[in-house]
Amino acid sequence: WGSCQMPSIKGINMTVGQEQQAGMKEKQVLEDLETHLTRRDTEALFQEQPQTGNQYLEDTLLRSYLKTHLPPKVLEEVHQDLERFGNRLLTKIQRLSWECELNPPAFRQFDAWGRRVDHIHTCSAWRRMKEISAEEGLIAEAYEKRYSNWSRLYQAVKLYLFSSSSGGFSCPLAMTDGAAKVIESLGIPGSLKNAFDRLTSRDPEKFWTSGQWMTERRGGSDVANGTETMARKQPDGTYRLYGFKWFTSAADSDMALTLARIADAEGQCTQGSRGLSLFFLRVRDEEGKLNNIQVQRLKDKLGTRQMATAELWLQGARAELISAEGRGVAAISNMLNITRIHNVIGAVASMRRMISLSRDYACKRVAFGKLLKDHPLHMQTIARMEVQVRGAFLLLMEIVRLLGLAETNLATEQEQLLLRLLIPVAKLYTGKQASAVAVEAMESFGGQGYMEDTGLPVILRDALVLSIWEGTTNILSLDVLRSLAKSQGQVMAVFLSTVQVSPQLQPCSASPWQSLLW
């Protein structure tokens, strides 16, 4: 105890009660001193939480890219909006994201009186994310084309900033964007105008999200042989769908696009991809009742738990045929391209989030007598991850730049070929990369990276789906081969010449492009 002076009670005449009271006081003083010292020692073990500020202002690569590529007038408007959005993400939206994780969707099949209701309950934070998505024009921006060919890139940047704070809402946005793209590619027929207007609305009261119902019991990617859902034509020209959808993400969406086989008068269906047609359907009617759909259960997933993914029985769901009969796969291909790009956005955003937190932690955490940032080996690890995410970011920006040109009829034939090649390549590359970076970044936090309440394991779990959803590695590889074969090798020639001469790709994007070349 060193020089600590304890109160002396010797030499004083006391009663027995007084002696007991003095002894208790002496014991209490000893306990207080011991507790104080114990707490002081424990407090020294606490670690400071890593934090980030305005994601837009702190992302120097993003700001540099926009300054280099955007026309000055566009840059001025976009910069102001992105700075505002970054502040909104920091002060309002990030906490909603954590609420979505803590309050996943719940399924109630029957009410108290035994009536089947099939109600999927989502938390208020999830519903607020839908409103914010409309307010920020996260879908609308790409279709309003306020900035001509730069509108798609601007939308991608907002989605990139939103993704890691969206509480999983980026997934329904991907399918919503894809559905809007399909309807636009069909010329926005009159029967679908209301749906298109709602999918691209900035009004939270009108905004719809869309599902993408393709996966059935026989599998996901092999839609030609795996789709069993049957469509029966009705006297009024609509169709009734019968089948089982094994994996429907964002089951709380307002509408969906789905594939089915049209039955003839004898009930026979054409097999293979030539028998598939594309349908539009509302999930619920105006009163909120399901459209002859039964929810079997919600999926118990490793990650993306914030979003309701369900198994659905279609038992005569009313639907509208929107593609030419037997041309469903071709019609929905636009949706797949958009959702794959969203997958890339989510992957790059996930990596950026993990590295930003890791860098901030390195400036706060002391180990072996100095900050982590002063340990060369630790910083080398972070630097390697930083190179990867920068390369992936620039690859993403190149894809959405090309998409913007294609959507405004400004893309050359070579640029269209390059876009066709890069979408599956980037989806493959960044999907695998995101999981690896998440694991490496978690390790940079030591044991804290493994603690559930830090939020870091959530990022890892959600990243693992990125190499699976919208095509696994082998499926994407075969897609690349198809693009090479269909163009008779012209795609590869365009790719090689672009890598060698394109000024916007050379300064700091060596990592992904060299990897693709290897």
Side-chain angles (χ1 to χ4, degrees), residues 45-57:
L45 297 175
F46 287 170
Q47 300 176 19
E48 202 168 343
Q49 178 182 355
Q51 294 178 328
T52 58
N54 185 313
Q55 295 175 62
Y56 169 66
L57 295 179

Side-chain angles (χ1 to χ4, degrees), residues 151-418:
S151 294
R152 181 61 79 171
L153 186 143
Y154 176 43
Q155 179 217 29
V157 169
K158 291 197 79 169
L159 288 167
Y160 162 73
L161 294 173
F162 180 66
S163 181
S164 59
S165 301
S166 72
F169 206 81
S170 291
C171 184
L173 288 181
M175 295 181 289
T176 301
D177 197 356
K181 182 66 176 174
V182 168
I183 295 174
E184 184 184 57
S185 70
L186 295 172
I188 316 180
S191 61
L192 295 178
K193 188 178 186 309
N194 178 57
F196 180 80
D197 289 345
R198 286 179 174 275
L199 293 171
T200 58
S201 177
R202 290 178 180 266
D203 184 349
E205 295 297 321
K206 296 179 179 178
F207 181 58
W208 278 2
T209 56
S210 176
Q212 173 188 312
W213 298 354
M214 294 179 64
T215 303
E216 301 196 8
R217 285 175 292 191
R218 290 185 179 180
S221 297
D222 187 9
V223 293
N225 298 306
T227 303
E228 300 173 311
T229 299
M230 178 187 299
R232 292 187 179 275
K233 192 170 184 178
Q234 304 300 302
D236 62 359
T238 63
Y239 287 78
R240 295 281 186 173
L241 304 186
Y242 300 86
F244 185 72
K245 296 296 180 178
W246 173 250
F247 197 96
T248 60
S249 295
D252 61 321
S253 292
D254 303 280
M255 56 159 280
L257 298 185
T258 186
L259 295 172
R261 301 184 188 280
I262 297 176
D264 60 22
E266 287 74 38
Q268 300 300 309
C269 300
T270 302
Q271 298 304 305
S273 61
R274 289 180 299 174
L276 293 174
S277 301
L278 184 61
F279 293 85
F280 159 84
L281 61 86
R282 290 283 309 275
V283 177
R284 295 168 184 82
D285 62 20
E286 298 300 330
E287 297 178 359
K289 295 179 181 178
L290 287 170
N291 174 15
N292 295 309
I293 298 168
Q294 282 194 345
V295 182
Q296 177 151 298
R297 63 171 176 166
L298 295 186
K299 294 290 195 180
D300 187 8
K301 299 171 292 181
L302 171 65
T304 62
R305 297 175 181 173
Q306 316 94 329
M307 176 183 63
T309 302
E311 296 173 10
L312 302 179
W313 280 105
L314 308 185
Q315 299 180 326
R318 185 179 293 275
E320 177 186 345
L321 175 66
I322 62 173
S323 73
E325 189 170 336
R327 295 288 295 167
V329 174
I332 206 169
S333 62
N334 281 310
M335 187 175 205
L336 299 180
N337 283 333
I338 294 297
T339 52
R340 284 177 175 178
I341 291 172
H342 276 257
N343 203 92
V344 177
I345 293 171
V348 178
S350 173
M351 290 188 282
R352 170 52 63 206
R353 177 69 174 165
M354 286 295 274
I355 293 173
S356 296
L357 290 170
S358 183
R359 289 174 61 180
D360 185 68
Y361 192 61
C363 296
K364 297 175 177 178
R365 173 74 168 128
V366 175
F368 302 102
K370 55 185 178 182
L371 291 168
L372 292 179
K373 73 179 183 65
D374 296 323
H375 291 275
L377 191 57
H378 185 85
M379 293 311 295
Q380 182 188 59
T381 301
I382 294 179
R384 284 174 176 167
M385 292 189 292
E386 180 68 29
V387 168
Q388 290 187 62
V389 74
R390 288 188 175 214
F393 171 82
L394 289 167
L395 182 56
L396 166 63
M397 290 295 101
E398 179 63 3
I399 288 172
V400 293
R401 185 188 73 84
L402 292 171
L403 179 60
L405 290 172
E407 291 180 327
T408 51
N409 299 315
L410 297 173
T412 65
E413 182 182 353
Q414 288 74 19
E415 287 170 330
Q416 292 180 47
L417 287 171
L418 188 60

Side-chain angles (χ1 to χ4, degrees), residues 34-45:
E34 186 175 353
T35 299
H36 173 71
L37 291 172
T38 302
R39 285 178 178 169
R40 187 176 65 188
D41 291 341
T42 304
E43 285 166 2
L45 297 175

